[in-house]
Amino acid sequence: MKDVITSIFFCGLLFLSGCSRDISSDSYEATTLDGPALHSYACTVVSVRKVKISAHDSLEQNTTGGIIGGVAGGLAGNMIGQGKGRILATGLGALAGAAGGAYAEKKLKEQVGYEYVVQLENGSMRTIVQGPNGLLSPGQAAILIEGRNGRSRLIARS
């Protein structure tokens, strides 16, 4: 029975690890390539700072992890005691497992990124957050690419 619980838990974690959004400046969704051209602007990087990107801030929003953890915790708790003690252990195991699973999902969906503040040639400023690939520095010439779906990317200008 312990093998079943362990298998459920680790299969769930594997499933959740694929839920993070790709925030790389090198990644495009196929739907953004159809239709009119993307808008590009010459700019200069004003500031850069490392940031943490979370899919959901509160544990209540991480339902998949909570469900998987709750089932695994309930099964584990059900193996303890007899009668009312087993019922109590099952309930407590399910609650602890749900909280642990939601927390695990939250942590698996966190990513490191960089927040760039750039100044366009017309003087206006924009803020872009993206993945750690192609790190740019303050003062560096860049190109801001704005997508139709609201996703922006910043790349070095050569």
Side-chain angles (χ1 to χ4, degrees):
M1 185 62 146
K2 288 182 182 179
D3 292 339
V4 171
I5 294 168
T6 304
S7 297
I8 290 171
F9 185 73
F10 284 111
C11 285
L13 288 179
L14 213 81
F15 171 74
L16 293 174
S17 67
C19 294
S20 295
R21 184 174 180 194
D22 186 0
I23 57 171
S24 163
S25 63
D26 298 331
S27 172
Y28 285 90
E29 289 182 31
T31 57
T32 63
L33 303 176
D34 295 336
L38 304 174
H39 296 281
S40 299
Y41 306 94
C43 61
T44 303
V45 177
V46 174
S47 70
V48 180
R49 71 182 184 119
K50 192 175 187 177
V51 294
K52 179 178 72 172
I53 302 162
S54 302
H56 299 295
D57 287 334
S58 66
L59 290 182
E60 295 87 21
Q61 294 174 312
N62 297 298
T63 54
T64 305
I67 290 169
I68 293 169
V71 169
L75 288 172
N78 193 43
M79 297 182 341
I80 298 172
Q82 296 176 350
K84 290 184 180 183
R86 176 174 282 176
I87 293 170
L88 180 63
T90 301
L92 290 175
L95 287 174
Y103 184 76
E105 179 180 358
K106 180 181 185 308
K107 286 297 179 187
L108 284 169
K109 288 182 176 179
E110 285 181 359
Q111 300 180 59
V112 172
Y114 286 88
E115 175 191 82
Y116 295 96
V117 176
V118 299
Q119 186 167 24
L120 304 181
E121 289 183 340
N122 68 6
S124 66
M125 299 181 86
R126 304 275 169 82
T127 302
I128 300 95
V129 177
Q130 66 186 31
N133 63 314
L135 187 60
L136 303 171
S137 304
Q140 186 172 359
I143 298 172
L144 170 61
I145 304 167
E146 289 185 342
R148 287 179 302 283
N149 64 353
R151 173 105 194 280
S152 296
R153 293 164 181 80
L154 192 63
I155 59 171
R157 186 169 32 160
S158 358

